Amino acid sequence: MSTSPEQVRAWRPAVAGIDEVFHARFVDHAYPLHTHDRWAVIIVDDGGIRFDLDRHHLGATGPMVTVLPPHVAHDGRASTPAGFRKRVLYVDDTVLPDDRIGPAVDGPTLVDPDLRAGLDGLHRSLSSPGADPLAVEARLALVGERLRRHLGSEPEVATPAAGLAVERLRDLIDADPTAELRLADAAAVLGTSVTHLVRSFTRRYGLPPHRYRLGRRVDRARALLLDGVPAATVAADCGFHDQPHLTRHFRRLLGTTPAAYARSGSAAA
């Protein structure tokens, strides 16, 4: 059994815009000078990193978000004897366009607690087998918008068309809340961006699309449970990953389990 302190976990999620998720703990490993063909967005959970980017001597620690642009040489090594633990998203130019490479070289380290928290939440969603793809897309859209703003792109301005788009998105969800729905596909059909769609929907209805759809799924589950359908079948029929996934969200929204909810009517009769 290996006792190496170096640990790596990497995978490719089924999320447009993210090419790879990379989690690692390094103590002795040092990256040689190299480049990537995609953007690396890094948060450090423990320790610190020293790195050179285009001949600039820089560092990254917990409060920071570090953005390394594609095609620009950099290296990396621990800045403390205990090493560091980091989480990285490798994203494509739909998240960060290549015209932001210059600003990223000039200022790759960002101190933004909301952006840091957004990336943490996105990583947690990507690491969860029961994560709602709609929620992951929404998190990525908001993180991408904040990154672009830091690197010089202005946020989109709401337009009257956005109001029609969010109404049509709500109609799509209401028509079948169990259907698999990608925000990128919906945004393309509705003639807007994912970021604009998420922000406009949240502004109009008070919660983002994935949470609205979750409420509709729970509503459908309630009806089926009261009809006597077993909880395991309800979970599958209502778009939940499995029965524990249904139970977790059901309890959070209603303060009880699906089984107790189903029994409650007969107990009161």
Side-chain angles (χ1 to χ4, degrees):
M1 179 176 178
S2 174
T3 59
S4 170
E6 321 289 70
Q7 300 172 3
V8 169
R9 180 186 175 210
W11 70 98
R12 178 175 289 116
V15 180
I18 301 178
D19 291 333
E20 182 184 331
V21 184
F22 183 83
H23 293 180
R25 179 177 183 267
F26 290 133
V27 176
D28 299 319
H29 175 69
Y31 289 99
L33 202 62
H34 65 288
T35 65
H36 298 295
D37 61 357
R38 50 200 171 164
W39 292 84
V41 183
I42 304 166
I43 54 177
V44 177
D45 294 307
D46 290 307
I49 305 173
R50 289 185 294 119
F51 65 96
D52 295 338
L53 176 71
D54 194 40
R55 298 178 297 279
H56 299 294
H57 304 296
L58 301 161
T61 59
M64 298 176 178
V65 174
T66 302
V67 184
L68 299 180
H71 316 303
V72 180
H74 60 280
D75 59 11
R77 59 274 184 201
S79 61
T80 65
F84 62 89
R85 186 163 55 89
K86 68 174 182 176
R87 289 176 287 171
V88 187
L89 294 180
Y90 290 99
V91 301
D92 64 25
D93 58 5
T94 65
V95 178
L96 280 172
D98 284 351
D99 63 6
R100 300 295 86 201
I101 290 177
V105 171
D106 293 338
T109 54
L110 312 173
V111 180
D112 180 340
D114 289 337
L115 175 59
R116 176 65 168 76
L119 282 163
D120 176 68
L122 180 53
H123 276 282
R124 291 178 186 275
S125 293
L126 289 165
S127 300
S128 173
D132 185 344
L134 211 64
V136 176
E137 277 192 282
R139 288 183 185 275
L140 176 62
L142 297 178
V143 161
E145 179 193 55
R146 203 164 187 96
L147 286 168
R148 292 190 296 274
R149 190 181 305 180
H150 274 289
L151 298 176
S153 299
E154 293 298 321
E156 293 178 286
V157 177
T159 64
L164 179 60
V166 299
E167 289 176 5
R168 291 177 64 189
L169 177 59
R170 187 185 65 170
D171 290 343
L172 284 173
I173 294 172
D174 287 344
D176 185 1
T178 69
E180 290 302 321
L181 175 67
R182 293 175 55 87
L183 284 175
D185 294 339
V189 170
L190 298 174
T192 186
S193 71
V194 172
T195 306
H196 206 178
L197 191 59
V198 171
R199 288 204 177 279
S200 298
F201 193 99
T202 304
R203 189 180 302 114
R204 171 70 67 88
Y205 299 115
L207 71 174
H210 66 277
R211 287 182 57 193
Y212 179 87
R213 185 178 68 174
L214 177 62
R216 300 289 73 75
R217 287 181 171 182
V218 171
D219 284 345
R220 178 167 292 192
R222 293 170 71 174
L224 292 175
L225 288 165
L226 293 180
D227 286 340
V229 179
T233 303
V234 170
D237 289 350
C238 293
F240 292 94
H241 183 69
D242 52 24
Q243 188 173 342
H245 189 212
L246 166 65
T247 298
R248 182 168 70 252
H249 288 296
F250 204 93
R251 188 193 295 275
R252 185 174 65 83
L253 287 175
L254 295 175
T256 188
T257 66
Y261 183 85
R263 291 193 304 266
S264 64
S266 56

